[in-house]
Amino acid sequence: MPSLKYICVKEFETMNKIALITGATSGIGLETAKRFASEGISLVLCGRRLERLQTIQKELSSKVKVHILNFDIRNNEEVVAALHSLPREFSKIDILINNAGNAHGLDSIQNGFLDDWDAMIDINVKGLLYVSKVIINSMIENKSGHIINIGSIAGKEVYPNGNVYCASKYAVDALTTGMRMDLNEHGIKVGGIHPGLVETEFSEVRFKGDKEKASKVYQGIKVLQPEDLADIIYFVISRPYHVNIADLVVLPSIQASANIVHRNS
Ligand code: NDP
Ligand code: 8X3
């Protein structure tokens, strides 16, 4: 017979939980979707690449219910329309993983491009806010929810040529704290996860499709894999209700800080 103390603690149950993941078409978002599916968490998966979303939906639908939403997070009208189009069975989002984001360029502030700056601020900061605004409203109505914002070590330390990307991730860090404070009275948990180097499509996007340049970032070093982050994200969201992992920096062992990476050559 369970003790009274045990009964009073709301344990985490994956059954009937629904997670919305932005940026689910590759990297950390995709692996998190797979991990959640294998734990029985139903999914709303978002991204711009529709074909990929459809393939992932097909793959994961044998395990859990999966709904896909195809929108550009930079466009608030698209975000609102997509999120309001959710069928009733997907409309109560329990877990929001604000993951969509990228770096665009790695240039000094004096040589940076306005288009890159706009992209990083619009996607990493404003896009995260657009999605959060809609989902937070419904979480408040439900008096529950868990939001994880994917920041970066770049949101804890600035590095040379990181300028606007770092600023966008510092903003994510600040918003995470702000959300946690404002949503506290509504029973909504908020936390930030801040990875160092993770081998995804991130560097390919940063270097505008230059695969050779991108592969050099990870050459000869064992960096984090998206599955590592998926594991950690699942751990964070599966703690009992009274436990909130508020702020987590995750580095590969060869990385000591944003700009110190031990390379043999
Ligand atoms: P990927 O490039 O593999 O994934 C980025 C995801 O974001 C894709 O699914 C992409 O989907 C989505 N996305 C990008 N722009 C938009 C947009 N305008 N509208 C909607 N979705 C968009 O990179 P990661 O998995 O590495 O990145 C995930 C998060 O992790 C990002 O926030 C990134 O800043 C952060 N991060 C990454 C690190 C790394 O070293 N890789 C380290 C620290 C943090 P689609 O193109 O289909 O729209
Ligand atoms: C991505 C990691 O070090 O390229 O946020 O900024 S880094």
Side-chain angles (χ1 to χ4, degrees):
M1 174 125 165
S3 72
L4 187 61
K5 188 171 162 227
Y6 179 81
I7 292 167
C8 289
V9 172
K10 255 205 226 166
E11 296 296 333
F12 181 81
E13 279 172 20
T14 56
M15 260 232 317
N16 303 323
K17 286 266 189 309
I18 298 176
L20 185 146
I21 304 175
T22 66
T25 55
S26 72
I28 297 170
L30 172 57
E31 289 308 321
T32 302
K34 289 182 186 170
R35 180 59 195 270
F36 281 12
S38 69
E39 301 290 347
I41 299 174
S42 296
L43 297 165
V44 178
L45 303 179
C46 312
R48 288 166 303 176
R49 288 170 286 183
L50 179 60
E51 261 183 42
R52 285 199 187 192
L53 286 174
Q54 287 166 335
T55 307
I56 299 160
Q57 182 181 37
K58 221 174 190 177
E59 184 189 328
L60 301 183
S61 287
S62 59
K63 296 183 176 159
V64 288
K65 287 187 298 177
V66 182
H67 188 80
I68 55 174
L69 292 177
N70 179 217
F71 61 86
D72 186 334
I73 209 167
R74 295 176 78 166
N75 183 324
N76 186 43
E77 274 177 26
E78 276 187 36
V79 171
V80 171
L83 295 178
H84 283 154
S85 77
L86 280 174
R88 183 184 275 266
E89 58 174 332
F90 286 96
S91 62
K92 183 182 171 288
I93 303 297
D94 302 290
I95 302 153
L96 167 62
I97 310 292
N98 275 320
N99 164 74
N102 276 118
H104 292 263
L106 183 64
D107 302 292
S108 63
I109 199 76
Q110 59 275 29
N111 291 319
F113 296 94
L114 276 181
D115 283 351
D116 287 342
W117 295 355
D118 283 342
M120 290 185 276
I121 290 170
D122 289 354
I123 298 167
N124 303 355
V125 184
K126 290 167 72 181
L128 179 147
L129 282 168
Y130 295 158
V131 170
S132 300
K133 184 153 181 63
V134 179
I135 303 299
I136 282 170
N137 282 339
S138 91
M139 284 180 171
I140 287 175
E141 266 175 40
N142 298 324
K143 298 186 176 57
S144 72
H146 194 168
I147 301 172
I148 302 292
N149 294 329
I150 305 300
S152 171
I153 185 67
K156 298 287 188 182
E157 301 168 41
V158 181
Y159 54 85
N161 300 331
N163 46 67
V164 178
Y165 178 66
C166 295
S168 75
K169 289 300 185 176
Y170 268 74
V172 171
D173 196 24
L175 288 169
T176 303
T177 306
M179 285 181 185
R180 189 165 51 249
M181 290 172 171
D182 297 349
L183 299 177
N184 174 265
E185 63 182 295
H186 297 287
I188 298 168
K189 299 206 278 190
V190 183
I193 299 182
H194 307 275
L197 289 164
V198 192
E199 195 167 0
T200 62
E201 293 176 15
F202 179 87
S203 290
E204 223 178 294
V205 175
R206 168 168 255 175
F207 298 123
K208 304 174 197 307
D210 186 336
K211 288 194 172 132
E212 207 185 318
K213 205 168 173 186
S215 70
K216 287 204 176 114
V217 175
Y218 312 115
Q219 208 170 329
I221 50 175
K222 178 74 181 171
V223 298
L224 296 168
Q225 298 301 301
E227 294 86 344
D228 297 321
L229 269 302
D231 255 0
I232 289 161
I233 293 168
Y234 178 70
F235 179 81
V236 170
I237 62 103
S238 60
R239 295 309 86 209
Y241 177 72
H242 69 287
V243 179
N244 184 23
I245 299 177
D247 195 46
L248 208 52
V249 174
V250 185
L251 301 175
S253 306
I254 48 93
Q255 184 172 20
S257 69
N259 212 26
I260 299 177
V261 177
H262 181 69
R263 293 176 191 269
N264 288 324
S265 52

